[in-house]
Amino acid sequence: MTQARRRGRGGGGAARRAERTAVSFETAPVIERKIPNLEMLSEEALDIIEANAEQVLEEIGVAFVDNPKALERWKAAGAEVTGERVRIPKGLARKLCATAPSEFVHHARNPEKSVTIGGDNLVLAPVYGPPFVRDAAGGRRYATIADFQKFVKLAYMSKWLHLSGGTICEPTDLPVNKRHLDMLLAHMTLSDKPFMGSVTEPSRARDSVEMCEILFGKEFVAENTVMTSLININSPLTFDDTMMGALEVYAEANQASIISPFIVGGAMAPVSVVGTLTQVLAEVMAGVAYSQLIRKGAPVIFGTFVTSIDMNSGAPTFGTPEAAHITNGAGQLARRMGLPYRSAGSFCGSKLPDAQAAYETANSLNMGLLSGVNFMLHACGWLEGGLVADFEKFVLDADQLGALHHMARGVPVDENAQAMDAIREVGPGGHYLGCAHTQANFKTAFWRSEVFDYKPFETWEEEGARDSQTLASARVEKLIETYQPPALDPEIRSRLEAYIAEKKASMPDSFM
Amino acid sequence: MTQARRRGRGGGGAARRAERTAVSFETAPVIERKIPNLEMLSEEALDIIEANAEQVLEEIGVAFVDNPKALERWKAAGAEVTGERVRIPKGLARKLCATAPSEFVHHARNPEKSVTIGGDNLVLAPVYGPPFVRDAAGGRRYATIADFQKFVKLAYMSKWLHLSGGTICEPTDLPVNKRHLDMLLAHMTLSDKPFMGSVTEPSRARDSVEMCEILFGKEFVAENTVMTSLININSPLTFDDTMMGALEVYAEANQASIISPFIVGGAMAPVSVVGTLTQVLAEVMAGVAYSQLIRKGAPVIFGTFVTSIDMNSGAPTFGTPEAAHITNGAGQLARRMGLPYRSAGSFCGSKLPDAQAAYETANSLNMGLLSGVNFMLHACGWLEGGLVADFEKFVLDADQLGALHHMARGVPVDENAQAMDAIREVGPGGHYLGCAHTQANFKTAFWRSEVFDYKPFETWEEEGARDSQTLASARVEKLIETYQPPALDPEIRSRLEAYIAEKKASMPDSFM
């Protein structure tokens, strides 16, 4: 960076370079797909999967663990309850799911950054959950709240990222029972993008709602969705009380939940694509139906987190064709249910932001866009099977998200796009670099990366033969140097801080 | 590799590892797509492009340079010829194109490796044309015939690659006017996969045919296609005599040609997608029509090489959304013409096989598969905008081609795939690792990379924290160590060598 800066003080070329590497705080609107979805499964295959999923719910059922109230609710709705097993007669789950909205608005404190989730939209959110962080300088290490805050800043500054995210990484230096407060405070104060709530305890979900009431106002929160939170299903077919407790809190408060089977294929679901889709659909139907038992019309997302497995080692594998098939098929199932769909992300198994990481990630990002995903969690920064949030990979992936934005725009066919005058002007053997059409359109014609190297070999070599990771380190540093927080009413900030202080004082630290 | 081998002499785990890393000489059949094509352009847009392309051919025309015979042929066919400009009345080019076959067989000397090009098939060929090679140990350097031979061996050993290729790299240590002989000899003797002929001079195309007559027998070559060669159009709208001379030789001999605009968008075509597609279609129609003027029914491929440009620096950029739009739209146009389609590849602008290279490459490979490409040249090994053939990237990309093969297989829906018994057997809260369905299917259920790292962090670190490039270096070394040439009749070999010796003696070396 310092090198690039020093060079930047030169002449006109330097000014141009400075302009094109200038940091922006702009956030692009939600991706509205102007390209068709890829649909790999036939109607017949989808019919079979739906019939089989109903069969699974009726015959095998699902388990709601340590949650007597849920069992009561299911009984009252017409399910057959034996112990903790809930068997759902054919048609019932689907009928209950019908009250879930097909799209909803997730509000940001900056109204320009509110997003509509569903339809042809695609909303992008950063990596979620890793206990470790990594960068080239510091290597792999346990994540801290300082790392978390740094990621929130990077997400805020990414033009292509719509959400500030949730648990971008686990701040392991803070007590387990209190860290959600600091994470939420970071999302609320360091960014003005929409964010996700805590799900690790029903009480923490309640804290999340209460902090939102301070930030947005109590009335606003009562009437609007201000959080979309991640409710994982304990696949196969198991709904634990922690996650369901959080879902109950959010659904009651009309806040959104992603109801998401968490599947390593061959371990938590059958090794076959159609078998996995059957289980995914059964699980999502049971989960979404349950959300509607809590509150009819509560906003939910049909989630699918799925990877394949390396049957030699048992390691999860990412960016694989089978994961692509499942991601694609689940999208078709979600659309048939009329629900927003969450899947795909910057998934990879690599330990470094190297070629493996990028192949795997690009495979998954592309399939996510083409499979009609509406909410892409983990859209940037994921490394090592989700154990690590990587700073360099975060900005590399976030940059690639720009390519998804542009891809989704589709192909204009108007007179300017037809460019017949340009073809006439240039003719055989000419070139288009200086022609009128090029002059008029070149600034917006082509997406360009803000991280990649496009220099001639000799220049690149002179400047240190930097690889993608090194270029990304420089970008991270530059973004963090340039960061400025969005404005926030100081009174709201004080109230948030007071709320947190009181909460923290009310209980001893726990690291369990 | 030596390390891996030493480890391989251990116990049962070592035996399993040895089995799964064993080198195979198997070649997978041509990819037959069982998934639908993605089609981004509407029928209306395609109609507009087709009408505009006809307009371009009639009004602006194309230039056939230094090629009086071609001008005669065009005149005789009904085109309006002024100087070197050929204006083709609406409908004529399309009518002439109609005699080109929609698919054809490209024969290999090993009949099991012959490929059918067209329809739902996808055939994969390695990188073509770079003057430089690169690997981690030796850095970037001018390519030699030894490098070329090493690439032919790697292509031969890749399960997923169907062609041995053409000019995988330029053997710059050999005279320009003779190197085609040594390249062809390498393809013919070190591999038994189908290959491509020389196009740098009509006489070299003739040499290619004559060498094939030795390898396959004169009669066989007269009746069958044994080469598919790359004929680039000098975009915009220009057909030079060298390339057309080679096309003439091949079409007369009923050998296949890829007729391919070579376009950096914004330089050799308009900056807009639809404008570029219009020019591409006009150029391909003129080229294919010309091939049919030479010989009705000569096999040809609708080619499209296209990249976008970084308007800041003028550098070509790869794996971009605009390139994807064009690749996708050109596929739709090719299918409407009923011609096999060539596009996409392991395109990247990076100087190293790093994350940038892999993102860009994966974007292009995926779009190629989904755009109905039938012939993918440059499917592995391309680096630095095509200036470099990279050994490590070659095996990394070739490995990713396995993912394309598996993706294209689509999703089986039979009873075994439905896995209802597995879901019953495992039930809520269980796991599938040991269940009967998993046992029966795990070996073929999931694609796995043969290069990537799937190890636990600690093992990976202990073994030297190797990145993708380092793992790929080891794989290159292992493949080359294990290489064994396919059998070849010694008499044929002697005749090939004698042919080459005679040719070489017949003219002085030229390095121009």
Side-chain angles (χ1 to χ4, degrees):
Chain A
M1 267 342 288
T2 28
Q3 192 188 25
R5 282 259 205 71
R6 217 176 301 124
R7 294 168 40 82
R9 292 200 190 106
R16 271 204 311 283
R17 270 197 300 280
E19 193 198 334
R20 74 176 183 256
T21 57
V23 168
S24 145
F25 289 78
E26 185 194 352
T27 300
V30 162
I31 294 175
E32 284 181 64
R33 286 185 184 75
K34 308 279 188 211
I35 57 173
N37 291 318
L38 181 69
E39 305 218 311
M40 293 196 197
L41 291 182
S42 66
E43 294 294 304
E44 191 205 347
L46 296 166
D47 289 343
I48 290 172
I49 292 166
E50 288 179 349
N52 285 352
E54 293 276 7
Q55 179 73 24
V56 166
L57 290 176
E58 177 169 282
E59 178 195 329
I60 304 167
V62 296
F64 274 74
V65 178
D66 293 334
N67 196 341
K69 267 197 174 171
L71 300 175
E72 286 308 316
R73 289 188 183 102
W74 274 116
K75 220 177 281 180
E80 182 198 311
V81 177
T82 321
E84 295 189 320
R85 188 75 66 98
V86 178
R87 290 187 174 80
I88 307 169
K90 282 179 191 167
L92 176 59
R94 184 168 288 271
K95 200 183 115 204
L96 293 170
C97 291
T99 55
S102 59
E103 57 178 63
F104 61 91
V105 177
H106 177 163
H107 291 271
R109 73 171 168 97
N110 175 351
E112 285 177 15
K113 296 189 181 173
S114 296
V115 293
T116 299
I117 296 172
D120 289 332
N121 286 3
L122 170 56
V123 166
L124 301 167
V127 61
Y128 186 107
F132 298 100
V133 296
R134 188 201 157 279
D135 55 19
R140 183 189 193 254
R141 57 198 186 268
Y142 275 103
T144 65
I145 189 68
D147 293 314
F148 186 95
Q149 290 160 345
K150 192 169 166 186
F151 275 121
V152 171
K153 292 175 183 177
L154 292 176
Y156 171 64
M157 296 182 80
S158 163
K159 178 174 179 182
W160 308 118
L161 214 51
H162 303 108
L163 259 73
S164 187
T167 307
I168 306 187
C169 57
E170 279 287 348
T172 59
D173 54 338
L174 299 182
V176 168
N177 59 338
K178 298 179 180 176
R179 60 176 68 147
H180 64 289
L181 302 164
D182 296 274
M183 289 194 273
L184 279 163
L185 185 69
H187 287 305
M188 290 176 172
T189 59
L190 301 176
S191 180
D192 61 1
K193 293 187 178 184
F195 53 84
M196 305 170 74
S198 175
V199 296
T200 50
E201 270 278 310
S203 66
R204 295 171 202 154
R206 243 167 264 126
D207 293 350
S208 306
V209 174
E210 285 168 12
M211 286 181 70
C212 281
E213 288 172 347
I214 297 171
L215 184 69
F216 289 92
K218 209 161 178 165
E219 277 174 33
F220 190 87
V221 172
E223 285 163 22
N224 294 286
T225 298
V226 295
M227 285 180 288
T228 299
S229 304
L230 178 62
I231 303 296
N232 279 330
I233 295 166
N234 202 344
S235 302
L237 301 171
T238 304
F239 296 77
D240 68 55
D241 61 322
T242 305
M243 283 286 163
M244 288 305 103
L247 172 65
E248 289 156 14
V249 170
Y250 287 127
E252 272 162 16
N254 208 27
Q255 298 306 307
S257 295
I258 306 165
I259 297 184
S260 209
F262 181 92
I263 289 176
V264 177
M268 291 89 122
V271 286
S272 64
V273 169
V274 165
T276 298
L277 285 170
T278 301
Q279 185 185 307
V280 161
L281 181 59
E283 291 175 349
V284 170
M285 282 173 70
V288 169
Y290 184 65
S291 75
Q292 303 301 302
L293 290 180
I294 302 295
R295 175 174 175 151
K296 270 190 186 139
V300 284
I301 297 177
F302 182 131
T304 304
F305 174 93
V306 69
T307 77
S308 48
I309 195 172
D310 171 20
M311 280 294 181
N312 289 319
S313 65
T317 52
F318 299 89
T320 61
E322 295 78 21
H325 289 150
I326 296 168
T327 299
N328 192 258
Q332 293 181 266
L333 293 168
R335 287 191 289 284
R336 278 163 68 118
M337 284 185 74
L339 290 175
Y341 175 46
R342 169 257 160 151
S343 197
S346 59
F347 299 141
C348 63
S350 187
K351 318 294 183 289
L352 300 168
D354 59 2
Q356 174 180 349
Y359 286 114
E360 291 173 335
T361 292
N363 289 347
S364 182
L365 293 180
N366 281 298
M367 193 44 61
L369 175 69
L370 299 177
S371 297
V373 167
N374 299 114
F375 187 101
M376 196 190 288
L377 190 59
H378 308 299
C380 61
W382 166 291
L383 197 73
E384 202 191 316
L387 284 173
V388 175
D390 186 276
F391 285 102
E392 282 100 5
K393 187 156 182 288
F394 193 97
V395 299
L396 286 166
D397 293 339
D399 181 66
Q400 278 294 297
L401 298 179
L404 295 194
H405 274 259
H406 280 250
M407 176 94 95
R409 288 180 188 172
V411 179
V413 202
D414 56 42
E415 210 177 302
N416 178 58
Q418 292 179 39
M420 286 297 279
D421 284 344
I423 300 176
R424 281 189 190 97
E425 181 185 340
V426 172
H431 74 78
Y432 288 82
L433 289 170
C435 85
H437 183 264
T438 303
Q439 292 296 322
N441 292 280
F442 80 90
K443 277 200 177 172
T444 55
F446 298 125
W447 172 80
R448 82 184 292 284
S449 165
E450 295 187 77
V451 198
F452 288 173
D453 154 62
Y454 293 148
K455 296 181 176 165
F457 180 81
E458 293 69 21
T459 317
W460 170 80
E461 202 173 34
E462 249 174 54
E463 292 180 6
R466 292 178 294 177
D467 69 1
S468 306
Q469 179 175 254
T470 310
L471 292 168
S473 297
R475 185 161 170 84
V476 169
E477 197 183 315
K478 176 176 178 172
L479 288 168
I480 293 299
E481 271 175 17
T482 326
Y483 170 81
Q484 288 170 7
L488 177 65
D489 181 342
E491 202 216 306
I492 289 179
R493 170 185 286 273
S494 310
R495 285 176 54 209
L496 286 169
E497 285 166 351
Y499 176 89
I500 290 174
E502 194 183 317
K503 273 281 161 188
K504 285 188 173 176
S506 73
M507 51 187 166
D509 290 356
S510 161
F511 278 89
M512 294 286 285
Chain B
M1 268 343 289
T2 28
Q3 192 188 24
R5 282 256 203 71
R6 219 177 299 127
R7 292 167 40 81
R9 293 201 188 105
R16 271 204 313 283
R17 270 196 299 280
E19 193 198 334
R20 74 175 183 255
T21 58
V23 168
S24 145
F25 290 78
E26 185 195 353
T27 300
V30 162
I31 294 176
E32 284 181 63
R33 286 184 185 76
K34 309 280 190 210
I35 56 172
N37 292 318
L38 181 70
E39 305 217 311
M40 293 195 197
L41 292 182
S42 67
E43 294 294 305
E44 191 205 347
L46 296 167
D47 289 343
I48 290 172
I49 293 166
E50 288 178 349
N52 285 351
E54 294 276 6
Q55 179 73 24
V56 167
L57 290 176
E58 178 169 281
E59 177 196 329
I60 305 166
V62 295
F64 273 73
V65 179
D66 292 335
N67 197 341
K69 267 198 174 171
L71 300 175
E72 286 308 315
R73 288 189 183 103
W74 273 117
K75 219 177 283 180
E80 183 199 310
V81 177
T82 320
E84 295 190 319
R85 188 74 65 98
V86 177
R87 290 187 174 80
I88 307 169
K90 281 180 192 168
L92 176 59
R94 184 168 287 271
K95 199 183 115 204
L96 292 171
C97 291
T99 55
S102 60
E103 58 177 63
F104 62 89
V105 177
H106 177 164
H107 292 272
R109 72 170 168 96
N110 176 352
E112 285 177 14
K113 297 188 181 173
S114 296
V115 293
T116 298
I117 296 172
D120 289 331
N121 285 3
L122 170 55
V123 165
L124 302 167
V127 60
Y128 186 107
F132 297 101
V133 295
R134 188 202 157 278
D135 56 20
R140 183 188 193 256
R141 58 199 185 268
Y142 276 105
T144 64
I145 188 68
D147 293 316
F148 186 95
Q149 291 161 343
K150 192 170 165 185
F151 274 121
V152 172
K153 292 175 183 176
L154 292 176
Y156 172 62
M157 295 182 81
S158 162
K159 178 173 178 182
W160 307 119
L161 213 51
H162 302 108
L163 258 74
S164 187
T167 307
I168 306 187
C169 58
E170 280 285 348
T172 60
D173 54 338
L174 299 182
V176 168
N177 59 339
K178 298 179 181 176
R179 61 175 68 149
H180 63 290
L181 302 164
D182 295 274
M183 289 194 273
L184 279 163
L185 185 70
H187 286 306
M188 290 176 173
T189 58
L190 301 175
S191 181
D192 60 1
K193 293 186 177 183
F195 54 82
M196 306 171 72
S198 176
V199 296
T200 51
E201 269 278 309
S203 67
R204 294 172 203 153
R206 243 168 263 125
D207 293 350
S208 306
V209 174
E210 286 168 10
M211 285 180 72
C212 281
E213 288 172 347
I214 297 172
L215 184 69
F216 289 92
K218 210 162 178 162
E219 277 174 33
F220 190 87
V221 172
E223 285 164 20
N224 294 286
T225 297
V226 296
M227 284 180 289
T228 298
S229 305
L230 178 62
I231 303 296
N232 279 331
I233 295 166
N234 202 343
S235 302
L237 302 170
T238 304
F239 295 76
D240 67 54
D241 61 323
T242 303
M243 281 286 163
M244 287 304 104
L247 172 64
E248 289 156 15
V249 170
Y250 286 128
E252 273 162 15
N254 208 25
Q255 299 305 307
S257 294
I258 306 165
I259 297 183
S260 209
F262 181 93
I263 289 175
V264 177
M268 290 89 124
V271 286
S272 64
V273 170
V274 165
T276 298
L277 285 171
T278 300
Q279 185 184 308
V280 161
L281 181 59
E283 292 175 348
V284 170
M285 281 172 70
V288 169
Y290 184 64
S291 75
Q292 303 302 302
L293 289 180
I294 303 295
R295 175 174 174 151
K296 269 191 188 140
V300 285
I301 297 176
F302 183 131
T304 304
F305 174 92
V306 68
T307 77
S308 47
I309 196 171
D310 173 21
M311 281 295 182
N312 290 317
S313 66
T317 51
F318 299 90
T320 61
E322 295 78 20
H325 289 150
I326 296 168
T327 299
N328 193 258
Q332 293 182 266
L333 294 167
R335 287 191 288 284
R336 278 162 69 117
M337 285 186 73
L339 290 176
Y341 174 47
R342 170 257 162 150
S343 197
S346 58
F347 299 141
C348 64
S350 186
K351 315 295 182 290
L352 300 168
D354 59 1
Q356 174 180 350
Y359 285 115
E360 292 174 333
T361 292
N363 289 347
S364 182
L365 293 181
N366 281 299
M367 193 45 61
L369 176 68
L370 299 178
S371 296
V373 167
N374 299 114
F375 188 100
M376 194 190 288
L377 191 59
H378 308 300
C380 59
W382 166 291
L383 197 73
E384 201 191 316
L387 284 174
V388 175
D390 186 276
F391 285 102
E392 281 99 7
K393 187 158 182 286
F394 193 96
V395 299
L396 286 165
D397 293 340
D399 182 66
Q400 278 294 297
L401 298 179
L404 295 195
H405 273 259
H406 280 250
M407 175 95 95
R409 289 180 188 172
V411 180
V413 203
D414 56 45
E415 211 178 301
N416 178 58
Q418 292 179 38
M420 287 295 279
D421 284 344
I423 300 176
R424 282 190 189 97
E425 182 184 339
V426 172
H431 73 78
Y432 288 82
L433 289 171
C435 85
H437 183 263
T438 304
Q439 292 296 323
N441 292 282
F442 80 90
K443 278 199 177 174
T444 55
F446 298 125
W447 172 79
R448 83 185 290 283
S449 164
E450 295 187 78
V451 197
F452 287 172
D453 155 59
Y454 292 148
K455 296 181 175 164
F457 180 81
E458 291 70 21
T459 317
W460 170 80
E461 203 174 34
E462 247 173 56
E463 293 180 4
R466 294 179 293 178
D467 69 2
S468 306
Q469 178 175 256
T470 310
L471 293 168
S473 297
R475 185 161 170 85
V476 169
E477 197 183 314
K478 176 176 176 172
L479 288 169
I480 294 299
E481 271 175 18
T482 326
Y483 170 80
Q484 289 170 6
L488 177 64
D489 181 343
E491 203 216 305
I492 290 179
R493 172 186 286 272
S494 310
R495 286 175 55 208
L496 287 170
E497 286 167 350
Y499 176 90
I500 291 174
E502 193 183 317
K503 273 280 160 187
K504 286 188 174 176
S506 73
M507 51 188 166
D509 290 355
S510 161
F511 279 89
M512 295 286 286

